[in-house]
Amino acid sequence: MKNEQLAEGRTRHGVARLLLERGPITAAAVAETLEISPAAVRRHLDALVADGEACMRDAPRRGQRGRGRPAKLWLLTESGRARFGHAYDDLAIAAIRFVAEAGGETAVREFAQRRAATLVDRHRTQVLGMPGLPERAEALAEALTREGYAASTRRVGTGEQLCQHHCPVAHVAAEFPELCEVETAAFAELLGTHVQRLSTIARGDAACTTHVPLGDPRTTEPGDATTTTIEGTPS
């Protein structure tokens, strides 16, 4: 009995992990990816919903409206993301509030820039060692995943979309959006091109999505400070 419970727990964790990394996602896609029965997936999804860790929404219809019910997409709630750990706590929020009260918005932005610079510099060599912008974006996603952001890339139109399916500092960023703004600037500086943040978990979206245009005429050499300046990073 105990072994069965452990197996159930591992499977449920796997379902939750897939919702984190690929959500919103259909139950059928979860079953196919994890190679378990649709009935088992449904059981685990229902349990996650009952615990407040997952929610469901209708998939957007494409083209002409067809008959039948729209497909259902599943994704984690903020509570569900918390099971994978967060790099923030009440102390972190209190500390940044103190910084804001003592030094104003400028001090908060300087703190955010220092944090982003530290994150970028740890992976600068790896990312800049890639031959092209798509490869650099993929290397950045791999680096962010190692930092706990569960990141991936996908080609959309004439650009790459960098998707962070988890944000270790989402609660802090919800109160201090400077963290998101400076992080976006850090990505632009590292990739050497203008990028655009399309969505953020801190604002309630399913993922933090950054559009990286390919062949952008504003593209410069990676790390060129004329693209975006991040205090604390070498140019």
Side-chain angles (χ1 to χ4, degrees), residues 23-207:
I25 187 174
T26 64
V30 173
E32 180 180 357
T33 301
L34 298 181
E35 298 182 343
I36 57 179
S37 71
V41 169
R42 179 68 62 175
R43 184 175 69 253
H44 290 298
L45 289 173
D46 288 343
L48 290 170
V49 170
D51 291 339
E53 296 186 0
C55 60
M56 178 181 62
R57 70 186 188 197
D58 290 340
R61 292 183 181 273
R62 301 183 182 275
Q64 296 182 347
R65 183 177 297 275
R67 295 182 178 179
R69 297 178 179 178
K72 302 296 183 182
L73 296 177
W74 301 82
L75 65 159
L76 290 184
T77 62
E78 185 60 35
S79 175
R81 289 192 181 99
R83 72 154 57 209
F84 295 96
H86 290 284
Y88 63 84
D89 54 21
D90 292 341
L91 179 61
I93 295 178
I96 300 180
R97 284 175 181 166
F98 176 80
V99 170
E101 292 172 1
E105 183 179 343
T106 299
V108 174
R109 184 166 294 275
E110 288 176 354
F111 167 80
Q113 289 173 334
R114 181 70 60 86
R115 177 182 176 274
T118 300
L119 173 66
V120 165
D121 287 345
R122 279 200 293 266
H123 306 288
R124 183 177 296 276
T125 300
Q126 174 196 352
V127 174
L128 297 187
M130 295 296 105
L133 188 52
E135 293 81 9
R136 292 198 296 272
E138 184 176 356
L140 177 57
E142 293 173 354
L144 289 170
T145 295
R146 290 194 295 273
E147 296 283 350
Y149 288 85
S152 62
T153 59
R154 62 181 180 180
R155 179 66 59 87
V156 178
T158 59
E160 291 282 335
Q161 281 193 356
L162 174 65
C163 299
Q164 296 157 253
H165 302 281
H166 179 56
C167 177
V169 294
H171 281 176
V172 179
E175 184 168 344
F176 298 98
E178 293 90 342
L179 293 177
C180 296
E181 295 165 6
V182 170
E183 181 183 83
T184 304
F187 293 168
E189 189 274 337
L190 182 60
L191 296 173
T193 185
H194 168 78
V195 302
Q196 181 181 9
R197 182 60 63 88
L198 303 178
S199 63
T200 65
I201 293 172
R203 290 201 305 254
D205 299 309

